[in-house]
Amino acid sequence: MRDGGKGYDPATAFLITALCAASAALLLLVDGAKGDEDEFPTLLINGFTATHAAGSPSPFEPVLYAPNRAFAFGFLRVGPGSLDLAVVHLPSSLPLWRATPARLGDWSRPATLSFDTTLVLTTAGGPDTTVLWQTLNAAGDTVALLNSSNLVVRRYARPFPSWQSFDYPADTLVAGQNFTAASPPLISSNRRFALRLGASFIALHMEFYGGRARSPAYWRHSALEEPPAAGNATVYGRLDGRGFFGMYLDGDGGERRVDVLSFDTFAEANLAGALFRRMTLDDDGNLRAYYWADGGGGSTKAWTAEYEAISSGRCGLPTACGAYGLCVPGDEAQCQCLTADTTSPPCHAGGDDEETAADLCDHVDAELDVVRRTRVSVAYKEQLPPFATNTTAAKCEAACAGNCSCWGALYGGASGYCYLIDFPVETMVYDADDAKVGYFKVRKVQSQTRRRGMAPGVKAVLAVVLVGLVGAGAYVGYRMWERKRRRRGEGMMVQELGTGPYKDLKSMASSNNSFKA
């Protein structure tokens, strides 16, 4: 019904107004969604490039986010000034995964992350451009960070990722991540310890100087249910969100769980599956599990430990007191030294000398002291196969003294077992038993200041330089002698010419071209 014959309909006017308002609101939502997508990108496609701002004051520069905004992937500052790529748990700012390139970048210099079928991290352009890290043997169309913290490279037409960070753990496993014999070992962030999976067990190892020396085990857990020795079955581990680490057998009959490491919260139904969990090889050498719960309401939460592989305290850890240290158990474990040159750690500089760490046999001319101590043992004695049984302390010591690859020997009087330490001596443990005797080889401190031997190539270069310096010195000496000789000759000539008339000098100059300027 029209009003006043002017064609005005209140209902129609109201409908038009409502439609306009709805359109405006929709535009605002779309614009807001675009802005949010720009600020929190959740997908990278071919052609993507991001540049690290050299010397950025922020320790983390994200370039990709998980849909739940709990994780981000980007540039991470490591230590005082190194650059790496990492997946970070944003609520705690903790790196869960690191690319850990063979050669870390420099935080003070620009670096570029690009994606063109593969992810590639390079230093800034120019003639010295260097590839620091890339996803090898994989090609994809997109890169995404899942809500599980898994970074994946995918092809559009394939359901499974062509590359994923879960296959290349750093020092941490998260819920749902498989840990197999083909996986790289978990390496602590200080590069001193490793977690490896064997045929039917997991074990913790000491890593001496980047793995260039032997990697002895100091903790081991075998599956309770032994897998079959033959067949195509493989054992792998997986952290379960319900609060345990399981070991599984994948064979012809499908997946079967053969062992469980239960966490403290495993029986708590209100926590099971509702938390984000991780298992990390910490820098002290212990393998621990943690959980994180969102506090809500802006409250601050922290990681809560719920499992540790070595629960015997500080003295149970392999390097608690450093090289040649002695850990005294108690409510508050104390560190002493095996050597007499000092009483408190660090105990002996020679124990950490990288030059002789790999093998004493390569340095037979090294000057060694001998340290003998009673009441000493080692926390991981079960991981050291006995060299001999039913022997004596003297025979045990002699077996090590005559072996250049032996760094020390431990003898247990009650058992008669002799254990040889064929790796650099680390922390020993005090044991109130006079029959437990230790014998240790220690490099003399003064030998540290002795001139170290040089490689043949270095010697050759230095010889050439020395010959060049001698030749240059001889040449300079000759020139100085020649200059003095000429001065003496010129002085005598001036004296002789000064006695004659000036016209004789002019005639001499015109008749002898050697005196012309």
Side-chain angles (χ1 to χ4, degrees), residues 324-338:
Y324 295 96
L326 179 66
C327 191
V328 182
D331 294 337
E332 296 184 3
Q334 301 294 322
C335 285
Q336 300 177 5
C337 289
L338 292 173

Side-chain angles (χ1 to χ4, degrees), residues 36-115:
D36 186 67
E37 183 179 353
D38 292 339
E39 185 179 358
F40 300 101
T42 57
L43 192 69
L44 307 180
I45 61 175
N46 280 321
F48 167 82
T49 299
T51 302
H52 155 65
S56 171
S58 174
F60 180 61
E61 296 177 272
V63 299
L64 180 66
Y65 290 83
N68 61 6
R69 305 289 192 269
F71 311 101
F73 166 67
F75 302 102
L76 176 72
R77 183 170 64 198
V78 180
S82 296
L83 170 69
D84 201 355
L85 294 174
V87 172
V88 173
H89 180 249
L90 294 177
S92 64
S93 300
L94 179 78
L96 300 174
W97 174 85
R98 283 177 49 192
T100 314
R103 180 171 53 182
L104 292 174
D106 187 347
W107 188 259
S108 64
R109 297 183 58 193
T112 300
L113 175 67
S114 59
F115 177 64

